Amino acid sequence: MNTKRFDYQLFSSQIIQWYQANPRDLPWRGTQDPYQIWLSEIILQQTRVAQGLPYYYKFVTAFPSVGDLALASEEEVLRLWQGLGYYSRARNLHFCAKYIWHELDGKFPDTYDQLLELKGVGSYTAAAIASFAFGEVRAVVDGNVFRVLARYFGIDMDIATGKAKKEFEALANQLIPKEQPAEFNQAMMDFGSRLCSPKNPDCPSCPLQQSCFAFQQDMVKDLPVKINKTKIRERSIHYYVIRCGKMWIWNRRSKGDIWEGLYDFPQAEENSKLEEAKGSSLHLLDRAKKIPKSYRHLLSHQRLNAVFSEVEVPEQHMQILKDWADEKGYHLVEEEQIDYLAKPKLIVNFLRDQGF
Ligand code: SF4
């Protein structure tokens, strides 16, 4: 599709006019503080605004500046992030805050290229911070922008390819007006999420309707093109919830794990660790009672099906259990402290059903 036959200036001014007539009251919109904008953009990666908003408030309240976040412990940061998923975002936030605070003397990077150096900041987030906080003329390109451009300009490239990403980025950077980069970017994000939405876009009230290729050619449902090659792996987990009086056994997920730093329970995959306890008087596997309800949980590339078994260890075996947990690298945690552990949503849901 030759996009040159379209009036770029008209497109940009109509998008901005729509945005000005349909403002959205979001807390990070009224600020040019790069820290708060960065926080909001990281929270909103893979998260809807309604779900991310309470987390944004929690974070700016607990850590009002990049220094406050840098000086927090990783446990505190992960605990606050609990329930939002994709925990690498929280770990990267903390890592970058420490880097900015200790290595850059607390001065936030102020150009697109410097922002790209930050862990967890890709081209979209760097463009958003650079344009919103520093007025740099750099277009954001995410799923919303792909969709609006693909439909309006009739681009039928597979948006999952690197080639398409480059072309969409080049087009968006031609469309962005030099005098209003922040407004244009915000307009594109909002227009794509609220009006030109994936399902049921509101074409009847769209100001671009007359010149929109997809609308004119009855191809709204066909664009953008995305050939999904992601394979979802099914995985079963059997957790063992081991308790002795008010003490629980917890497993802290190790480095490189998708849930790195979070707490869950020993798993059946580690049966050998549980089996070894047979030699002592613990007999962990023999004591296990399966809980009837199973739990489903969707990760980016995995569908988890989790079942849980409870294991009650008599209190006279407390010392043996402690020694065993120490040796296997597990943590004994008092019941009152469980709430303070950062846990995956799957575990939070399980505990809620158990009355915690
Ligand atoms: S007319 Fe419909 S498809 Fe075209 S830009 Fe507007 S909302 Fe999107």
Side-chain angles (χ1 to χ4, degrees), residues 238-282:
H238 191 154
Y239 278 121
Y240 288 87
V241 185
I242 305 167
R243 279 184 291 203
C244 182
K246 293 269 182 202
M247 302 300 279
W248 295 48
I249 297 276
W250 288 86
N251 172 42
R252 188 160 197 243
R253 307 288 291 216
S254 50
K255 210 166 171 49
D257 189 291
I258 193 163
W259 284 336
E260 179 185 332
L262 302 188
Y263 289 83
D264 62 0
F265 303 112
Q267 295 175 36
E269 286 161 14
E270 298 167 333
N271 256 353
S272 57
K273 286 190 189 177
L274 304 171
E275 287 277 9
E276 282 168 31
K278 271 189 157 180
S280 68
S281 45
L282 287 174

Side-chain angles (χ1 to χ4, degrees), residues 11 147-148 151-152 191 195-197 201-210 212-216 220:
F11 171 87
R147 188 167 55 255
V148 174
R151 285 175 177 167
Y152 183 84
F191 189 85
L195 197 112
C196 193
S197 50
D202 190 6
C203 299
S205 56
C206 176
L208 305 180
Q209 192 198 85
Q210 288 305 311
C212 171
F213 177 91
F215 183 79
Q216 295 301 331
V220 175

Side-chain angles (χ1 to χ4, degrees), residues 13 23 55 60 67 73 128 181 188 198 236 276 281 291 300 315 324 352:
S13 61
Y55 284 86
V60 287
S73 71
M188 287 293 280
S236 299
E276 282 168 31
S281 45
I291 292 169
S300 54
E315 296 209 30
W324 174 79
R352 191 198 49 219

